[in-house]
Amino acid sequence: MNDLLYVNGGNPLEGTITVRGAKNFVSKAMVASLLGETPSVLRNVPQIRDVGVVSGLLELHGVNVKYDTDAGILDLDPSNVESAHMADIDAHAGSSRIPILFCGPLLHRLGEAFIPDLGGCRIGDRPINYHLEILRKFGAEVDKRPNGIHLRAPRRLQGTKFRLEYPSVGSTEQLLLTAVRAEGITELSNAAIEPEIMDLIAVLQKMGAIISVDTDRVIRIEGVDRLEGFNHTALADRIEAASWASAALATGGDVTIKGATQPEMMTFLNTFRKVGGQFDVQDDGIRFWHPGGDLRSIVLETDVHPGFMTDWQQPLVVALTQATGLSIVHETVYENRFGFTDALRQMGATIQVYKECLGGGDCRFGQRNFHHSAVVSGPTPLAAADIEVPDLRGGFSHLIAALAAKGTSTVRGISLIDRGYESFQDKLVALGADVSRD
């Protein structure tokens, strides 16, 4: 498929689309299937590139994977788990960071794991030192090599106590996937408690794990000897839903998103309403629309759950270019998430980025020379441009800008968006967008 998309913008998006399971949960549940002694079934699975990458990695390790793309059902049989060659893992994983989460399950099933150099979207440092430190605390031996990392578990992994300096989602997932079959009790302090984490805990509990979550971000896991497979329906992708909602707002449109659910999106919905957007929560989805008139500027700060999600920030910033006044956005989760605004300025937006903490309290990036705050002045008309997609969420934000801009934009590197947005071009067409790939 061509990696270039032509977008003839300036028209409102109108119509109905459907979102399926959350990218940030589905891939982790697929990895969790390695821990079971019997097959698992995962439902509401989107047809995105990350699912294909994880399916391939599981198959390299001997898991039998069957995917009904129309029904969105994955059957995962880990009965014959085996080691995979480092070169095969590296070639298949590409830029995905998922392989690091294979470590705990493979150490339990095989006593060893091989992890290639990790890629992923370049939106910040995103070091894996927490992952490796967690695995060492359980008793794993970690050997860093030029082509990746070799891990061994010469004996059964042991429960441990661990406190995260920051409630990292990836580190919390790593600990959960490792602790459930470790001997003894594991306690994680300052854990991430995002909805996707809670859904992963639900999956692990179905498999036979014993996990409790306290109100003070402490998670306790009592290790068990054996886990079974699971049968689970993935929660909806709140990031994709918010991205389409922001697109409706930025283009003056009206979009109904089947599958979107209110509980996981309450913080976004509050902000959407403050900006001037309207929504209607329905039995099978949420309708989002621009009611006409001026959008309002806001002060916004991203945070871990239950705060405003960092992945919601970028698409909403595009809508804020059309709001009246000065909007202030303080990014506290990833230090380099405003690189996508370069393209917006090229298209006519008035956005300035700052190293200081604006719009809220000081954060961990405040004294570290990172441009992590932005001031958006609007409304400013956007003009078509030639755009290069920088990362998954920034790329979809560029796509929104192209849809809102007058004229025909050329968006390059569009395949990055396939990582996390199922059939996004078909959905654009369904909403009346004038787009084409040649």
Side-chain angles (χ1 to χ4, degrees):
M1 184 177 289
N2 198 305
D3 208 25
L4 184 149
L5 186 73
Y6 297 105
V7 181
N8 186 22
N11 301 309
L13 296 184
E14 296 180 339
T16 300
I17 57 173
T18 299
V19 298
R20 291 204 276 191
K23 165 190 173 291
N24 287 352
F25 161 76
V26 166
S27 54
K28 320 305 168 54
M30 293 171 68
V31 175
S33 71
L34 277 170
L35 290 161
E37 302 291 340
T38 56
S40 293
V41 178
L42 184 60
R43 305 176 189 278
N44 200 30
V45 179
Q47 193 174 354
I48 55 177
R49 194 158 50 127
D50 269 20
V51 169
V53 169
V54 181
S55 294
L57 289 170
L58 288 171
E59 288 173 334
L60 287 175
H61 287 93
V63 178
N64 185 13
V65 179
K66 295 180 180 178
Y67 183 21
D68 183 337
T69 55
D70 292 333
I73 298 175
L74 265 174
D75 291 286
L76 306 157
D77 185 352
S79 302
N80 299 305
V81 172
E82 61 186 12
S83 296
H85 295 294
M86 174 75 82
D88 292 337
I89 299 172
D90 197 12
H92 188 82
S95 62
S96 173
R97 298 176 63 87
I98 283 291
I100 190 67
L101 293 178
F102 276 66
C103 293
L106 288 177
L107 287 171
H108 286 303
R109 294 297 303 271
L110 302 174
E112 63 178 357
F114 300 94
I115 307 301
D117 290 334
L118 298 175
C121 293
R122 301 189 179 281
I123 54 176
D125 196 26
R126 301 179 79 170
I128 64 168
N129 57 303
Y130 279 147
H131 291 267
L132 300 181
E133 188 178 350
I134 287 169
L135 292 163
R136 288 191 183 100
K137 287 277 284 184
F138 280 103
E141 297 177 356
V142 180
D143 180 17
K144 294 184 180 180
R145 299 176 181 177
N147 60 343
I149 302 167
H150 179 211
L151 301 101
R152 292 180 62 251
R155 63 192 65 84
R156 185 178 178 184
L157 299 180
Q158 300 293 304
T160 186
K161 284 191 174 183
F162 199 90
R163 177 176 177 82
L164 294 174
E165 293 180 17
Y166 183 80
S168 159
V169 169
S171 297
T172 300
E173 292 164 341
Q174 182 70 260
L175 184 132
L176 287 168
L177 291 167
T178 306
V180 286
R181 285 189 60 173
E183 185 175 12
I185 295 174
T186 296
E187 180 180 287
L188 175 64
S189 301
N190 202 27
I193 54 171
E194 272 66 10
E196 294 80 11
I197 292 285
M198 302 310 293
D199 215 25
L200 178 60
I201 289 174
V203 161
L204 294 170
Q205 187 181 59
K206 286 182 176 182
M207 299 177 76
I210 302 171
I211 305 172
S212 64
V213 183
D214 294 344
T215 55
D216 57 354
R217 291 187 177 273
V218 174
I219 298 177
R220 291 181 177 86
I221 306 101
E222 184 177 335
V224 297
D225 294 332
R226 177 185 172 91
L227 293 173
E228 305 295 333
F230 61 83
N231 191 318
H232 190 78
T233 299
L235 82 170
D237 196 316
R238 60 192 176 123
I239 304 174
E240 183 181 0
S243 298
W244 290 111
S246 296
L249 196 60
T251 63
D254 186 337
V255 176
T256 297
I257 305 173
K258 301 291 186 183
T261 51
Q262 181 184 15
E264 297 82 16
M265 296 189 68
M266 293 186 74
T267 303
F268 176 84
L269 295 175
N270 287 335
T271 302
F272 191 83
R273 181 170 281 162
K274 288 178 183 178
V275 175
Q278 294 288 336
F279 63 88
D280 176 34
V281 178
Q282 303 168 352
D283 290 341
D284 59 351
I286 306 176
R287 176 190 169 204
F288 295 90
W289 74 95
H290 189 312
D294 294 338
L295 297 180
R296 297 183 290 270
S297 57
I298 59 169
V299 175
L300 178 66
E301 183 171 81
T302 66
D303 205 347
V304 296
H305 188 78
F308 191 91
M309 192 180 193
T310 180
D311 288 321
W312 293 334
Q313 175 257 112
Q314 290 165 296
L316 189 64
V317 162
V318 182
L320 291 178
T321 67
Q322 305 307 303
T324 300
L326 293 177
S327 293
I328 299 172
V329 183
H330 182 206
E331 171 63 52
T332 74
V333 180
Y334 288 127
E335 64 270 32
N336 291 321
R337 199 137 213 186
F338 284 120
F340 80 102
T341 61
D342 291 342
L344 300 186
R345 281 189 289 271
Q346 178 188 349
M347 300 175 77
T350 303
I351 303 174
Q352 294 175 298
V353 294
Y354 297 91
K355 298 176 182 177
E356 293 77 17
C357 297
L358 301 179
D362 291 342
C363 76
R364 60 199 176 119
F365 305 138
Q367 306 300 321
R368 295 177 58 194
N369 210 33
F370 295 118
H371 289 90
H372 68 292
S373 294
V375 176
V376 184
S377 179
T380 53
L382 300 179
D386 191 340
I387 307 167
E388 183 75 29
V389 169
D391 59 72
L392 174 59
R393 307 304 174 188
F396 197 89
S397 302
H398 289 168
L399 184 58
I400 295 173
L403 291 164
K406 297 290 186 182
T408 301
S409 296
T410 302
V411 187
R412 303 179 187 277
I414 205 74
S415 61
L416 261 175
I417 297 177
D418 290 318
R419 277 191 54 214
Y421 292 87
E422 180 182 38
S423 306
F424 77 90
Q425 187 176 344
D426 292 339
K427 292 176 183 178
L428 286 171
V429 172
L431 296 175
D434 184 0
V435 297
S436 62
R437 267 170 160 161
D438 64 9

